[in-house]
Amino acid sequence: MHIDFTKARLTLVIVPTDLRCGFNRLSEIALQYLHIDVTKGNDYVVFISKSRRSAKIIGYDNKGSILIVRHLDQGRFERLMGAATGPAVKKLTAQELYLYLDGEDIEVKRTHLLKG
C-alpha cells in the first residue's frame, strides 16, 4: 500500500473531534457536516483531538478504507483560525499536511508585507 496525498483533496477539521470514533463514524461526520464522501477515494480528512496531541486521517482507495493515527509525543498540533461562517475546515496541500503532522506551524502571524 502506498498513500499519495498529492493526488487527493486534503481537508483539516480545525475544531476538536472525539477521536474515540473509528473510520465509519468519522466518515459519517465528514459526509454529514462537510459533504465529503471519503468512500469515493478523492479525499482525505484530518481530525484533531481536543488536546491537539492526536490526529486521525481517513480516506479510501480501491482496496478499502484507510485510517491513520498520528500521536505527538512532544508538542501539540497547531491551533488554526477559521472563517466565522461556513464549516470549520482548512484545505491543505500535501506539503502542509506533512509539516502539520510533524507538529510544525503552517500559519504564522505576519508582521510585514513582504517578510514573515
Side-chain angles (χ1 to χ4, degrees), residues 14-15 33-35 82-83 85-90:
I14 61 175
V15 295
Y33 294 106
L34 307 175
H35 308 291
T85 59
V89 298
K90 178 170 179 56

Side-chain angles (χ1 to χ4, degrees), residues 95-110:
Q95 184 61 30
E96 289 173 327
L97 177 63
Y98 295 133
L99 289 171
Y100 189 79
L101 292 176
D102 280 341
E104 302 293 329
D105 291 341
I106 59 174
E107 290 184 353
V108 295
K109 183 177 179 180
R110 299 289 302 253

Side-chain angles (χ1 to χ4, degrees), residues 9-13 26-40 42-47 58 87 89 91:
R9 288 184 299 258
L10 305 171
T11 304
L12 171 66
V13 178
L26 292 174
S27 65
E28 286 176 16
I29 291 170
L31 183 59
Q32 182 178 5
Y33 294 106
L34 307 175
H35 308 291
I36 297 173
D37 186 358
V38 294
T39 61
K40 290 185 177 179
N42 301 324
D43 293 276
Y44 288 97
V45 182
V46 182
F47 296 91
I58 60 168
V89 298
K91 300 293 182 185

Side-chain angles (χ1 to χ4, degrees), residues 19-86:
L19 293 188
R20 293 178 291 179
C21 303
F23 175 85
N24 290 335
R25 180 65 185 127
L26 292 174
S27 65
E28 286 176 16
I29 291 170
L31 183 59
Q32 182 178 5
Y33 294 106
L34 307 175
H35 308 291
I36 297 173
D37 186 358
V38 294
T39 61
K40 290 185 177 179
N42 301 324
D43 293 276
Y44 288 97
V45 182
V46 182
F47 296 91
I48 304 299
S49 69
K50 185 177 179 181
S51 69
R52 295 188 349 265
R53 288 189 181 267
S54 297
K56 284 190 177 179
I57 305 168
I58 60 168
Y60 212 84
D61 64 9
N62 58 351
K63 302 285 185 180
S65 61
I66 298 168
L67 174 68
I68 302 169
V69 179
R70 174 74 167 162
H71 181 80
L72 294 178
D73 290 332
Q74 297 175 2
R76 296 177 190 272
F77 294 110
E78 179 182 9
R79 182 176 292 163
L80 301 174
M81 300 292 289
T85 59

